[in-house]
């Protein structure tokens, strides 16, 4: 059985794809057979994959074609770890992603507005958490000088959700992805440290 981690938030542009690709790269480097599954019709992960250099040593990449259910697609990977990049939508597919995941990571920018704008999503998410899903909010595009607000942390812990420090705002995230790579490929050692910490936090949540 694969361990399934989903990067999900119905809000657009919060860093879902950046998180998914980096986490998959970290799992791959950790020696685990990893598949990055693009479930977004926008195909951002596929775009990234098309740009990877020849013989790039990275995770396998697949997309969810219309004739395969998510559960079948996950099963067919045969991978130790499957990372799902979800689209910026809240619909039946969101429920399917959460039902098939062991861990849902929800990238949020520090203002927390990305979170409070989606009360309906929180309902769906907490519903799945009640049924055994692990979930955490993850800082995204965070200013290095600010930490995530205690208020956000307190509000989330009331819902039984935790908040991970996640990734700061760094040019290297955008640049490395635009070149079909990740910050782990020598772009920015501090960013690489953040990614490894996030991967390790994710493993802790899956224990
Ligand atoms: N930590 C970061 N530092 C700098 N830029 C970032 C960071 N995370 C994301 N970005 C940039 O922000 C933009 C949106 O990020 P990304 O595509 O990962 O978000 P998304 O939630 O997947 O978007 P969509 O909802 O369209 O799928 C991209 O241009 C990306 O390069
Ligand atoms: Mg995306």
């Amino acid at each position: 059985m694969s361990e399934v981690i989903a990067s999900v938030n119905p809000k657009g542009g919060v860093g879902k794809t950046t998180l998914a690709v980096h986490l998959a790269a970290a799992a791959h480097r950790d020696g685990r057979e990893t598949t990055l599954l693009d479930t977004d019709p926008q195909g951002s992960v596929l775009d990234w994959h098309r740009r990877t250099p020849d013989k790039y040593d990275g995770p396998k990449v697949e997309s969810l074609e219309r004739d395969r259910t998510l559960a079948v697609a996950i099963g067919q990977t045969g991978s130790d770890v499957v990372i799902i990049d979800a689209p910026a939508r809240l619909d039946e597919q969101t429920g399917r992603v959460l039902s098939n995941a062991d861990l849902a990571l929800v990238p949020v920018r520090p203002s927390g507005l990305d979170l409070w704008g989606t009360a309906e999503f929180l309902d769906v998410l907490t519903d799945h958490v009640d049924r055994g899903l692990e979930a955490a909010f993850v800082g995204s595009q965070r200013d290095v000088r600010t930490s995530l607000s205690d208020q956000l942390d307190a509000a989330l812990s009331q819902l039984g959700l935790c908040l991970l420090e996640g990734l700061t705002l760094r040019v290297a995230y955008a640049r490395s992805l635009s070149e079909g790579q990740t910050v782990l490929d020598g772009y920015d050692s501090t960013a690489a440290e953040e990614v490894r910490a996030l991967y390790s936090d994710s493993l802790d949540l899956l224990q």
Side-chain angles (χ1 to χ4, degrees):
M1 283 272 281
S2 310
E3 207 159 66
V4 182
I5 303 177
S7 177
V8 54
N9 186 333
K11 172 100 180 154
V14 293
K16 294 180 287 298
T17 302
T18 303
L19 178 72
V21 175
H22 280 90
L23 212 55
H28 174 78
R29 281 176 178 243
D30 190 32
R32 305 180 77 203
E33 179 148 346
T34 306
T35 297
L36 185 51
L37 188 56
D38 195 345
T39 68
D40 185 353
Q42 210 175 221
S44 310
V45 166
L46 298 182
D47 283 344
W48 170 79
H49 189 52
R50 270 191 283 274
R51 296 193 178 118
T52 54
D54 282 349
K55 303 203 179 96
Y56 182 70
D57 182 22
K60 287 198 283 179
V61 172
E62 285 188 25
S63 68
L64 187 65
E65 301 96 34
R66 287 209 186 86
D67 56 352
R68 276 199 308 179
T69 66
L70 186 57
V72 167
I74 291 168
Q76 287 177 342
T77 64
S79 287
D80 303 325
V81 187
V82 176
I83 312 278
I84 298 176
D85 185 30
R89 284 203 316 241
L90 182 57
D91 55 17
E92 327 79 70
Q93 177 75 355
T94 316
R96 285 194 284 272
V97 166
L98 296 177
S99 302
N100 280 285
D102 300 301
L103 171 65
L105 294 178
V106 185
V108 277
R109 287 174 294 199
S111 68
L113 291 177
D114 298 334
L115 166 60
W116 308 126
T118 57
E120 201 186 339
F121 171 61
L122 269 186
D123 283 348
V124 177
L125 184 68
T126 48
D127 206 42
H128 282 80
V129 167
D130 290 344
R131 286 186 262 148
L133 172 74
E134 287 293 338
F137 284 72
V138 177
S140 179
Q141 302 167 41
R142 185 166 58 76
D143 188 308
V144 271
R145 288 160 304 185
T146 58
S147 61
L148 289 161
S149 88
D150 293 343
Q151 220 182 344
L152 183 60
D153 205 1
L156 288 172
S157 59
Q158 265 187 357
L159 294 167
L161 300 166
C162 69
L163 178 62
L164 306 177
E165 284 290 314
L167 312 180
T168 57
L169 184 69
R170 285 172 189 276
V171 180
Y173 286 111
R175 185 176 299 154
S176 62
L177 290 197
S178 73
E179 293 173 358
Q181 303 188 59
T182 72
V183 299
L184 300 174
D185 296 300
Y187 283 81
D188 180 329
S189 58
T190 314
E193 230 10 89
E194 289 175 0
V195 170
R196 283 192 286 268
L198 178 62
Y199 173 63
S200 152
D201 289 345
S202 305
L203 292 186
D204 288 347
L205 287 169
L206 283 165
Q207 298 257 302

